[in-house]
Amino acid sequence: MVMACALPCAGLAAEPQERTQLTMDSGRPRTPEQVAVRFEHALLGFRVLPEEQKIEGDATLEFIALDPLPRLVLELDHQLGIERIEIDGAALPPSAWRNPEGRLSIDLPQPLAKGERVRARIVYAGKPRVAQKAPWDGAFVWSKAPDGQPWIATSVQGEGCDLFWPCIDHPQGEPLVVEQRITVPAPLVAAGNGVLLGVDERDGWRTYRWRAQSPNTYAIALNIGPYEELRGEYRSRHGNTIPLHFWHLQGRGPQARELFGEFPLALDFFEQVIGPYPFADEKMGVVETPHLGMEHQTINAYGNDYEKDEYGYDWLLHHEFAHEWFGNQMTNVDWDEMWLHEGFGSYMQPLYLQWLRGDMEYHASLLKMRAGVANRFPLVSGKSQVVEAVYSDEIGPGHDIYFKGAWILHTLRGLIGDEAFFTSVRRLVYGRDDPAPGNFQPRYASTREFVDIVNDVTGRDYDWFFDVYVYRPALPQLLAERDATSLRLRWKTPDDLPFPMPVDVRVGGRVVTVPMDGGQGHVELPADTHYTLDPHSKLLRDLPHIDAYREDAAARAKAAREKAGEEK
């Protein structure tokens, strides 16, 4: 997900909509029935009616029972009325299903034994929720392109897939294969996940048929508008060819072509530094949307209005594209582990700048992130969380999953070195050290797994590093005391946790690395000699001047809001 709104958000609803907490939460613990199935295939039919802001859905879902199963349990927003449910082709009586709060329970005609398959067809329709502020408030965006034609998008990371299709709304609820049949009024275009199988047109309607493998549940997206398409190919350093596609609004050809020109460079960076593009047999796809952006697998939403930042590239495109590796290829096992998506994805931007232009822009980008680190909540709480809690700055880590996460990776890289760092990241993403096209599959991962990988790759125990940085909110403090002949250093950590982090000290014109065994160390320091702690900014640590800046900025923003309110 993106970090801040750069454009006016289109498609606002006039009135707040009725909602249930179950529907608005994404990532609640799966029910026993959901744990007991493997989601094999989803065929999702959508007829989209722009003038009515309505959808007609027809979903056929196939599961294999991993344990004996008396019923299916899914999630579907109760605002979407269910017209019919069939099991293996036979219609069920309405008494066989219930969906009062958005958790759809379907009694099977006969309980399934372990290993048996079941196919459920769910026909439904209604007006789906309208996003108040997409993509941070998930749902549909019903907008208009500059020429007045319908421009429609979905963005449901925060609230989940159940806002418009029946699913298991949990990170581990991914179907192995998803096919979409998206029917829209001609001549609108529906850009989708995966590979385009064909387009059928009849009676003023177009049906686009798409097929994708192992997509994230929230990555399934509808993107509909008066699009033009740019196509190309990228010859990978791994020997395969990757299709490139960009669907942009009509009349924006020059800007779109310039952005399209960034695709090969971004691909080359990720393939060289991390590993093969995970969905090369489908496409690298981007679609222009009326909201800022979202990491929809192989069809990333882009709404940054072609604006480049001070570093001369489109950070939004790059950030969302990073999620193809950190989010879509490697998916966290629980939303509590969301820093594995956002922290790694955010670190890719300064890393890209270092790869592209050098160290100055790398450090400048990281310094900008450092000012956003709040340290109010740990990145990982150790218990199952819903998405909204994790992304909240008030009750969860919020922006820290981006900025603090990126800084943790920067510090880890400096500690263990480039070879061990990138080997560890590669193994986390692919489950192996030698990924090549065709020898890996999308996978789930956790922070504990990453810690174990780092320990295995380095041959050392770095649990202490993650215990302080990931599982505690407060940053370690580096205390320095000077006497006549030396400088004594000591780490102060939350809960007095061990923290043997080495510290570089510049003494005059030379840099000395202090080992800090037991969290303490010292360096000889002649009288009147100037010293600088951590002169190359390798360490994520408590910095009072950053805290003072944050407090002052917050006070000034509050005063500005109050003044604006008085002037109204």
Side-chain angles (χ1 to χ4, degrees):
M1 186 185 286
V2 292
M3 291 172 280
C5 192
L7 294 173
C9 297
L12 302 184
E15 298 292 340
Q17 299 170 76
E18 179 191 356
R19 60 180 62 186
T20 69
Q21 195 60 49
L22 190 148
T23 296
M24 302 317 294
D25 288 342
S26 180
R28 288 192 181 193
R30 289 175 294 168
T31 69
E33 296 89 349
Q34 292 174 334
V35 173
V37 296
R38 183 169 69 238
F39 199 167
E40 292 283 294
H41 186 272
L43 175 58
L44 306 178
F46 302 103
R47 179 180 289 266
V48 181
L49 296 86
E51 296 305 318
E52 300 175 50
Q53 296 192 359
K54 178 181 176 182
I55 62 171
E56 297 172 352
D58 189 341
T60 299
L61 316 176
E62 297 182 20
F63 302 92
I64 291 180
L66 305 178
D67 288 302
L69 191 69
R71 68 185 61 85
L72 290 176
V73 177
L74 306 169
E75 279 82 40
L76 179 65
D77 190 349
H78 74 116
Q79 288 194 173
L80 300 172
I82 297 173
E83 298 177 4
R84 185 168 74 259
I85 294 181
E86 298 174 3
I87 296 295
D88 294 328
L92 294 181
S95 60
W97 77 80
R98 61 213 63 87
N99 191 34
E101 296 294 320
R103 176 156 280 168
L104 174 59
S105 181
I106 306 170
D107 297 329
L108 299 175
Q110 298 292 333
L112 292 184
K114 181 178 179 179
E116 289 188 326
R117 293 175 175 268
V118 64
R119 185 175 70 254
R121 182 186 180 197
I122 303 164
V123 180
Y124 60 98
K127 291 190 173 184
R129 296 176 190 275
V130 176
Q132 305 297 308
K133 190 180 180 183
W136 302 274
D137 172 51
F140 268 68
V141 178
W142 304 92
S143 186
K144 296 286 186 183
D147 65 0
Q149 294 189 70
W151 189 19
I152 302 160
T154 59
S155 175
V156 299
Q157 181 176 8
E159 291 77 8
C161 47
D162 55 329
L163 289 190
F164 70 107
W165 63 280
C167 62
I168 298 175
D169 186 13
H170 187 275
Q172 296 187 59
E174 293 183 5
L176 297 181
V177 176
V178 173
E179 293 186 58
Q180 293 185 80
R181 295 175 181 172
I182 307 169
T183 301
V184 299
L188 296 179
V189 175
N193 305 88
V195 175
L196 181 63
L197 302 179
V199 182
D200 305 315
E201 186 164 348
R202 187 170 61 179
D203 300 329
W205 293 87
R206 285 181 177 175
T207 298
Y208 289 78
R209 294 180 283 114
W210 294 93
R211 185 179 189 274
Q213 298 186 59
S214 299
N216 257 336
T217 53
Y218 74 80
I220 297 297
L222 300 179
N223 302 281
I224 299 161
Y227 290 126
E228 295 177 347
E229 182 183 359
L230 292 173
R231 298 183 185 182
E233 290 184 342
Y234 170 77
R235 183 68 177 171
S236 168
R237 61 178 55 245
H238 298 282
N240 56 322
T241 299
I242 301 171
L244 308 178
H245 296 262
F246 181 27
W247 287 267
H248 63 89
L249 288 181
Q250 296 171 2
R252 296 185 179 178
Q255 306 101 301
R257 283 190 290 274
E258 184 175 351
L259 184 66
F260 192 60
E262 294 188 29
F263 287 21
L265 200 59
L267 267 167
D268 193 37
F269 161 74
F270 280 106
E271 291 211 315
Q272 179 179 343
V273 174
I274 307 302
Y277 177 57
F279 309 104
D281 56 347
E282 295 182 350
K283 67 178 183 299
M284 175 188 174
V286 178
V287 60
E288 192 170 358
T289 55
H291 63 81
L292 184 58
M294 181 63 67
E295 61 271 21
H296 297 144
Q297 190 167 308
T298 70
I299 189 67
N300 282 315
Y302 172 83
N304 201 32
D305 201 30
Y306 304 96
E307 179 181 355
K308 298 186 183 217
D309 66 7
E310 63 267 40
Y311 304 108
Y313 80 120
D314 198 306
W315 72 268
L316 188 281
L317 173 72
H318 197 273
H319 179 80
E320 304 303 355
F321 188 46
H323 284 305
E324 297 284 28
W325 284 261
F326 307 101
N328 296 336
Q329 163 60 26
M330 179 276 296
T331 303
N332 45 215
V333 296
D334 189 275
W335 297 133
D336 189 42
E337 311 270 358
M338 185 55 82
W339 85 282
L340 296 177
H341 290 203
E342 301 294 9
F344 281 78
S346 296
Y347 185 54
M348 292 303 107
Q349 282 78 73
L351 198 62
Y352 176 65
L353 292 171
Q354 185 179 43
W355 178 83
L356 190 64
R357 302 208 182 94
D359 293 345
M360 180 177 287
E361 293 193 15
Y362 171 77
H363 285 288
S365 178
L366 280 169
L367 181 61
K368 189 174 181 180
M369 290 184 181
R370 179 63 183 85
V373 178
N375 302 308
R376 296 183 60 197
F377 298 91
L379 289 193
V380 179
S381 71
K383 60 184 180 181
S384 185
Q385 299 269 23
V386 298
V387 172
E388 292 295 340
V390 175
Y391 277 93
S392 169
D393 288 316
E394 301 304 319
I395 62 173
H399 284 76
D400 278 4
I401 62 176
Y402 300 90
F403 305 136
K404 188 174 183 178
W407 260 89
I408 288 171
L409 296 174
H410 164 69
T411 301
L412 178 65
R413 179 186 172 197
L415 177 64
I416 67 176
D418 276 11
E419 183 176 355
F421 176 79
F422 288 110
T423 297
S424 298
V425 172
R426 194 168 296 116
R427 191 182 297 180
L428 175 73
V429 171
Y430 299 100
R432 57 191 301 161
D433 298 338
D434 60 343
N439 75 355
F440 60 88
Q441 295 292 327
R443 64 190 306 272
Y444 293 105
S446 67
T447 302
R448 181 66 252 176
E449 183 187 4
F450 184 55
V451 178
D452 291 341
I453 289 171
V454 170
N455 291 344
D456 182 63
V457 169
T458 61
R460 302 183 65 179
D461 184 351
Y462 284 105
D463 281 42
W464 58 267
F465 178 94
F466 295 92
D467 286 346
V468 169
Y469 280 133
V470 175
Y471 297 104
R472 299 296 189 283
L475 291 177
Q477 299 177 45
L478 181 58
L479 306 179
E481 294 182 1
R482 180 174 186 165
D483 59 26
T485 61
S486 66
L487 179 71
R488 297 191 177 277
L489 302 175
R490 178 170 65 89
W491 284 111
K492 182 180 179 182
T493 60
D495 303 324
D496 293 322
L497 291 170
F499 196 69
M501 174 70 78
V503 177
D504 285 351
V505 182
R506 186 168 59 208
V507 179
R510 65 191 181 96
V511 175
V512 178
T513 299
V514 182
M516 301 296 286
D517 295 332
Q520 300 185 55
H522 77 281
V523 60
E524 298 300 317
L525 186 65
D528 300 325
T529 300
H530 178 72
Y531 72 89
T532 304
L533 299 176
D534 187 27
H536 301 300
S537 301
K538 295 180 179 179
L539 305 177
L540 176 59
R541 60 190 174 101
D542 180 69
L543 295 172
H545 69 276
I546 294 287
D547 294 336
Y549 165 78
R550 286 180 54 84
E551 291 177 7
D552 180 67
R556 291 175 183 272
K558 181 180 178 181
R561 290 193 300 269
E562 291 174 348
K563 182 178 180 180
E566 292 173 358
E567 290 177 351
K568 285 183 180 179

